[in-house]
Amino acid sequence: MFVWYINSFPRKEVKQNGKVHENRICTIVWNCHKKYTAIIADLILVKFSAGGYTVNSTEINKQFVLQKSNIGTKNKILVDFKKNKFLLLIVLPGLLYYLIFNYLPMFGLVIAFKDYRVSAGFLEGDWIGFKHFVDFFKDPYFFKLLRNTFAINLYNLILGFPLPIILALLLNEVRVNSFKRIVQTISYLPNFISIVIVSGMVINFLSPQTGIVNLLLKGIFGIEPISFMTKPEYFWGIFTLMNVWKTLGWNSILYIAAISGVNLALYDAAVVDGASRFRRIWHVTLPSISPTIIIVLILTIGQMLKVGAEPIILMYNPTIYETADVISTYVYRAGFGTENISPNYSFATAVGLFNSVVSLVLLYSANLISRKFSETSLW
Amino acid sequence: MHKTSIKTDMTSSIFDIFNYFILILLCVVTLYPFLYTMSASISDPLLVMQNRIVLFPKGINFDAYQLVFQKMDIGRGFYNSVVYTVVGTAINILFTSITAYALSRKEFALRIFITKFIVFTMFFSGGLIPTFLVVRYLGMYNSMWALVVPVAIATWNLLILKSFFSQIPESLIESARIDGSHDLYILFKIIFPLSLPALATIGLFYAVGHWNNFFSALIFITDNKLYPLQLMIRNISILENIVDVVTIDNSILFKNIKYAVIFISSLPMICLYPFIQRYFVKGVTIGSLKE
């Protein structure tokens, strides 16, 4: 009779030596003599051995641990399917989305190794191996693209990485809360203004005849109007300043959140030790937010080659391709064509694939270096 | 008083003055472009042409706005953008929330595998051309769907929402189940109402993304009746495609028109932003807590 009763004892999954065990802990609620317990144990064994259980331990006539070893992964997935039908159902649309719009394009990367014709599918077209890659590497323009991509990113890193940290530190020193809030609100604003509007403003402000920048330069420094958007030497600087203007405030949020989590007792201790404000910033605040700083740095370096095509497509023109053309804008032009170039999907895909692979390597190495020299890493 | 403490006080207040100065300067630099754009768009076109506007408008003149609204179909761009934003955000929220909920439930053993499968796409992707070809192959080219379906889930937002859902206590769901509620009821009547602040934050991020998006429209939309506002702004203020509107009599308005278009299109965001700002900030900190 009690054998059926035992069926209602709770199951518990336990991991031991990498195997999954299912334990049932049976507590016998009434007092009985030791020899009966042994009989009960035998009975239990008979009942459960069919289901693959073994009696693992007998504890002073009160408890048994029944153990069923090694539920295979296959079995587990099946159990999961039955138990979580609903969750499986609602995860399906998302899963399909990722398959179609993320994994199918990855599969589509095969056209980088093919001579792809516009009308054909991914699977058609002749294999040509690495021809597109070789063509790209042999082109002297390749080095110019690579240089521009790295230069723009380096400018962005040098200016765009430390400034949000400095802003967060400065904001943390403000004691008037309302002032702090106003500065935060205003400085986050540009992040939400579309890049089309921002680059429209930049281009119009920099116009040699009617731009406000040239007016101010002439008024203050007496400099003759400069046609900024047709001179290649200015593009990296203009682009970086625009980016910093747009993202400075917003990028400081993570640091502000990190600073607000710093243990206040550390500051009190520093004050007792006679540390000045600079000392407190340098020896308390900065070390406390260094994990955040490192994570952001890794992510920034990992994205170095991924400089988005969008802002540059909006800002550049053929007179400044020399410095403004980067890999992603080149992919865009090679893929969709311009007045001078006929569209070539295969070649553009090859260039894009090169870009993705180098990005992945960069991210991986940045993470590796960080893990070696500090405790922080992405994975 | 001790000598050194006076000295520290001095440096401290100098630091404060310097600090406030820098922060005020930052605000000025941030706001000035918007003020200038507005001033230039409503000033006397002759003065704008001669580059005489510095801060405030001179000789108020609304001709440029009249021209923009009457002849340039900015209204349709506006309408298209609103439609894309509403439809796109609705799709985003539905897809992201149900996927995030499934992935947040600990009893769902497959969730670990599926999460890995999804996170991988943050680090590697097919890139521009293969994605374009897939979208075109699905027959979405030159339609609204090309702008909203291929971006149905942003992985970062999915992860934020997933970490939010996983903080909802298991016992709540268990007790609802014991009371006899079925899964759909639990999801829509218990989980989602509880997560309204998080859903609002994610929704706002998505909505801003749709509103500001111009690149997908650039590659997927060829019919200019379907152009969203951002693409129209680009054509007018950057590519200067306004030959059909600007004639000899009003060519002097050229600059004013460009500034007017830029200002009109930034206005909705500037007006709404102060009210929704705190949600955005919350969204960033939800994500950072889990790091």
Side-chain angles (χ1 to χ4, degrees), chain A residues 97-98 103 185 194 210 277, chain B residues 12 117 150 155 230 255 258 273:
Chain A
Y97 163 76
Y98 276 98
Y103 281 88
T185 304
S194 92
T210 59
R277 270 171 101 173
Chain B
S12 189
F117 177 81
T155 307
Q230 304 298 335
K255 273 276 156 184
K258 284 165 66 166
Y273 166 77

Side-chain angles (χ1 to χ4, degrees), chain A residues 102-321:
Chain A
N102 287 284
Y103 281 88
L104 200 59
M106 282 184 218
F107 172 69
L109 283 170
V110 293
I111 66 168
F113 306 95
K114 286 188 167 199
D115 193 13
Y116 179 80
R117 294 275 161 258
V118 177
S119 54
F122 284 158
L123 293 172
E124 287 150 68
D126 301 324
W127 289 99
I128 53 163
F130 286 88
K131 183 178 175 298
H132 292 309
F133 292 90
V134 174
D135 284 353
F136 180 51
F137 298 146
K138 271 188 183 162
D139 190 342
Y141 201 58
F142 165 70
F143 292 102
K144 216 166 264 178
L145 286 177
L146 210 59
R147 181 200 67 187
N148 293 345
T149 311
F150 272 112
I152 286 175
N153 273 296
L154 208 63
Y155 271 52
N156 258 319
L157 190 71
I158 291 168
L159 209 60
F161 180 68
L163 283 180
I165 302 173
I166 293 171
L167 176 61
L169 293 174
L170 291 183
L171 276 171
N172 189 44
E173 296 299 317
V174 174
R175 285 167 204 150
V176 186
N177 263 330
S178 55
F179 178 74
K180 190 173 164 181
R181 260 203 309 279
I182 292 170
V183 175
Q184 280 178 286
T185 304
I186 291 175
S187 67
Y188 301 159
L189 172 67
N191 188 56
F192 298 97
I193 302 295
S194 92
I195 188 69
V196 181
I197 293 172
V198 175
S199 37
M201 289 201 288
V202 168
I203 290 170
N204 284 303
F205 288 177
L206 291 176
S207 146
Q209 294 87 35
T210 59
I212 180 72
V213 173
N214 274 314
L215 178 69
L216 293 178
L217 282 179
K218 189 156 193 197
I220 301 170
F221 302 106
I223 299 170
E224 283 307 302
I226 302 167
S227 176
F228 286 103
M229 294 316 289
T230 57
K231 296 261 167 63
E233 63 264 37
Y234 294 116
F235 185 77
W236 294 347
I238 293 168
F239 187 74
T240 308
L241 284 178
M242 180 186 86
N243 257 342
V244 169
W245 179 82
K246 195 171 187 303
T247 58
L248 171 60
W250 186 249
N251 287 348
S252 71
I253 292 186
L254 267 183
Y255 302 115
I256 292 172
I259 289 175
S260 71
V262 177
N263 189 350
L264 289 177
L266 291 175
Y267 289 109
D268 294 339
V271 171
V272 171
D273 287 348
S276 68
R277 270 171 101 173
F278 296 105
R279 291 262 157 214
R280 271 175 269 160
I281 294 175
W282 189 254
H283 290 293
V284 179
T285 316
L286 265 179
S288 304
I289 63 170
S290 64
T292 311
I293 295 177
I294 290 169
I295 291 279
V296 174
L297 187 64
I298 296 172
L299 285 172
T300 316
I301 291 173
Q303 270 161 7
M304 276 197 91
L305 271 187
K306 279 190 185 161
V307 51
E310 298 181 38
I312 298 186
I313 285 176
L314 286 164
M315 288 186 73
Y316 73 177
N317 58 66
T319 56
I320 51 171
Y321 278 174

Side-chain angles (χ1 to χ4, degrees), chain A residues 21-34:
Chain A
H21 300 291
E22 186 186 297
N23 281 2
R24 283 180 189 230
I25 298 170
C26 315
T27 315
I28 295 173
V29 283
W30 62 85
N31 273 321
C32 61
H33 196 271
K34 210 168 185 174

Side-chain angles (χ1 to χ4, degrees), chain B residues 171-182 185-186 190:
Chain B
S171 54
L172 195 77
I173 299 164
E174 272 314 307
S175 60
R177 195 162 285 145
I178 289 164
D179 288 348
S181 327
H182 54 80
Y185 183 90
I186 293 174
I190 296 173

